[in-house]
Amino acid sequence: MKTYQIGFIGCGARSIAYATFYAEADDIQVAGISDPMPRQRTVLKRECSLPVDTPEYDDWRDLLDAHPALDGVVISSPTQYHVEQAIACFERGLPVALEKPLAVNKAECERLLDAQRTLNGRSLIGFVLRSTPYFSRIQQLIAEGRVGRVLSVQADELPGWFVTSVMCRSPWRRYAASSGGSMLEKSCHDMDMLNWLIGSKPVAIHSFGNRLLFNANPELPDTCPGCRVADTCKYYQSPSVTHEKGEGIYAFQREELRCIYNIDKDVMDTQCVSLEYENGAIANFMLNFHSSGKRSGRNIHIIGTKGRIWGNMELNEIGVFDDQTEQVEEISIATDGTGHGGGDKKHALILKQMMAEPSYRPGQEAKSGYLSAVMCFAADLSVAERRRIAFRYRDDGYIDLV
């Protein structure tokens, strides 16, 4: 039995979601890991029970050079590095599991796609939601015609306290230049879901957004220790908790102790998007950080010509209403307990299929990543220019925003 050799570029939280399942597989070996932060490499090894002698590298180039027999690579580095790293893997003929989003701007996305075409590269973009039992069941219900033709979709992504803290305090996510902005970094997932469920291409977008909550507050200190609102602030971090977390999966260095309001950042915390599709369907999407409790997270409501579908991913519950019978079917979704509502394991193992079948290309590859990213860029352009943005699809497969 062949043992597949996999390398890791970036050792953050998403790398753990992949390596956990690879470490359990008899036919997969993590051949080497790279990250400029030694602590992150240590955490990956410990959390995934990797052998202590698994080779480590500060520079991802050294990983690729030292392991010419790799069968595949997982890239989960900050978004601004994705293009260079992915192209280097394509040049070596390696299938790549590339964490979303594709790149920080449209030009860089197109540079990556150019390279994939030229080098016949293969990619799996980190759209793990396609692998969740929850969204897979909704897509199946639509494909079966349970609600007829989809007319409209209302979808929400309402991240909780921890994810909000990650977005606002991460050394790179809180800057649009390195993350591409909050809509791209957090919700290119959701743009891809809308495209997948509606089964059509977007033709126009209009968006509104701003940083409505996490703005500088002169009445608060720059760091959490000693803050007068420590007992009531959902985002307060004590030095002791930060030290403990600093040895855990999510390590943001000193930024963890900085006030979430006063820390410098330029990403939005609230944004809505309206979309028109080629098949006539319309969709509304709301991204709003600072949410928690029941029905936070991802919600969806789909209206079709024959009925409706609604659900909440965190509850793993779906409802289906039939217009003709006026009956409601309530569906509880079972998961395997892995992250992202049971999607992490299935998604991670797609890379194994790519390594085993050289001709296999998953649906959630760079083209899908490009479309969802362009939707996010268009949304931010709409906010900046206060206008509707149209999509013009070119013969070369790229999109102009007009």
Side-chain angles (χ1 to χ4, degrees):
M1 180 175 66
K2 177 177 174 58
T3 299
Y4 298 100
Q5 305 285 318
I6 295 180
F8 277 79
I9 297 176
C11 295
R14 288 306 299 155
S15 67
I16 293 173
Y18 289 86
T20 296
F21 308 113
Y22 299 156
E24 297 172 351
D26 295 333
D27 56 351
I28 296 177
Q29 179 185 7
V30 177
I33 61 176
S34 64
D35 195 294
M37 295 176 63
R39 179 176 60 181
Q40 295 292 84
R41 305 195 302 260
T42 299
V43 169
L44 177 64
K45 284 186 174 182
R46 186 184 69 233
E47 295 292 325
C48 301
S49 301
L50 298 179
V52 294
D53 60 350
T54 301
E56 300 181 31
Y57 304 90
D58 291 318
D59 194 312
W60 58 272
R61 301 170 189 82
D62 294 335
L63 165 69
L64 296 181
D65 291 342
H67 299 273
L70 285 176
D71 296 295
V73 173
V74 175
I75 299 176
S76 57
S77 57
T79 307
Q80 61 184 319
Y81 305 119
H82 283 183
V83 176
E84 181 183 7
Q85 293 166 346
I87 291 175
C89 293
F90 293 154
E91 290 173 340
R92 288 164 170 79
L94 297 171
V96 178
L98 177 64
E99 256 311 299
K100 60 84 188 167
L102 203 63
V104 297
N105 59 52
K106 185 172 175 288
E108 283 290 276
C109 287
E110 292 173 359
R111 184 162 77 93
L112 190 151
L113 260 68
D114 282 340
Q116 178 170 285
R117 291 171 177 174
T118 301
L119 299 167
N120 196 30
R122 293 185 298 143
S123 56
L124 166 68
I125 304 304
F127 291 147
V128 65
L129 296 184
R130 290 202 190 196
S131 296
T132 62
Y134 171 80
F135 277 113
S136 295
R137 187 60 184 278
I138 291 175
Q139 198 276 337
Q140 180 186 25
L141 290 166
I142 294 172
E144 291 173 350
R146 291 287 299 275
V147 295
R149 177 168 55 88
V150 173
L151 303 174
S152 68
V153 179
Q154 173 65 51
D156 307 312
E157 164 62 312
L158 311 175
W161 318 130
F162 178 73
V163 173
T164 299
S165 182
V166 169
M167 192 70 212
C168 291
R169 284 172 162 146
S170 164
W172 60 274
R173 288 183 176 89
R174 69 181 196 266
Y175 302 119
S178 50
S179 70
S182 53
M183 178 61 66
L184 179 73
E185 170 60 24
K186 190 71 187 77
S187 294
C188 63
H189 266 314
D190 302 277
M191 297 299 103
D192 180 65
M193 273 296 95
L194 290 172
N195 298 339
W196 191 48
L197 297 177
I198 293 173
S200 183
K201 297 187 300 185
V203 295
I205 195 168
H206 205 156
S207 180
F208 301 92
N210 212 326
R211 192 165 64 251
L212 300 181
L213 179 61
F214 299 107
N215 293 301
N217 185 340
E219 297 184 1
L220 299 177
D222 289 338
T223 57
C224 287
C227 180
R228 61 180 178 80
V229 298
D231 292 339
T232 58
C233 179
K234 293 291 186 181
Y235 304 101
Y236 173 78
Q237 294 281 7
S238 72
S240 60
V241 171
T242 301
H243 175 73
E244 179 182 343
K245 284 176 62 182
E247 294 301 318
I249 298 174
Y250 301 96
F252 298 141
Q253 306 172 34
R254 297 181 184 276
E255 281 83 351
E256 284 191 319
L257 287 175
R258 293 178 62 184
C259 173
I260 195 170
Y261 298 94
N262 289 329
I263 191 171
D264 55 307
K265 53 188 171 299
D266 61 15
V267 295
M268 290 182 276
D269 57 34
T270 307
Q271 190 169 357
C272 66
V273 174
S274 292
L275 289 154
E276 179 184 2
Y277 279 83
E278 192 174 56
N279 65 2
I282 57 175
N284 288 314
F285 173 75
M286 176 66 73
L287 172 64
N288 196 318
F289 291 89
H290 188 64
S291 300
S292 189
K294 190 173 182 179
R295 303 208 69 81
S296 62
R298 286 186 166 92
N299 295 283
I300 199 162
H301 200 145
I302 301 165
I303 300 177
T305 55
K306 296 181 180 179
R308 296 183 289 129
I309 299 172
W310 61 87
N312 176 272
M313 181 176 162
E314 276 56 45
L315 296 175
N316 269 310
E317 294 176 353
I318 297 171
V320 183
F321 178 81
D322 186 298
D323 286 351
Q324 191 66 33
T325 65
E326 298 191 1
Q327 297 297 307
V328 174
E329 179 185 1
E330 296 181 349
I331 304 171
S332 294
I333 304 297
T335 77
D336 60 8
T338 63
H340 280 94
D344 273 354
K345 183 175 183 178
K346 182 179 178 182
H347 179 82
L349 293 179
I350 294 174
L351 180 59
K352 178 182 174 182
Q353 184 176 355
M354 294 173 70
M355 294 186 294
E357 302 176 28
S359 63
Y360 176 66
R361 295 175 181 269
Q364 57 272 49
E365 58 98 53
K367 290 180 182 178
S368 299
Y370 173 69
L371 179 56
S372 73
V374 169
M375 293 164 72
C376 296
F377 301 143
D380 289 346
L381 180 64
S382 175
V383 171
E385 297 187 357
R386 296 180 176 273
R387 67 180 180 92
R388 176 183 184 270
I389 306 295
F391 293 70
R392 184 169 63 202
Y393 292 87
R394 295 170 9 198
D395 292 341
D396 61 4
Y398 295 141
I399 303 169
D400 291 326
L401 301 177
V402 295

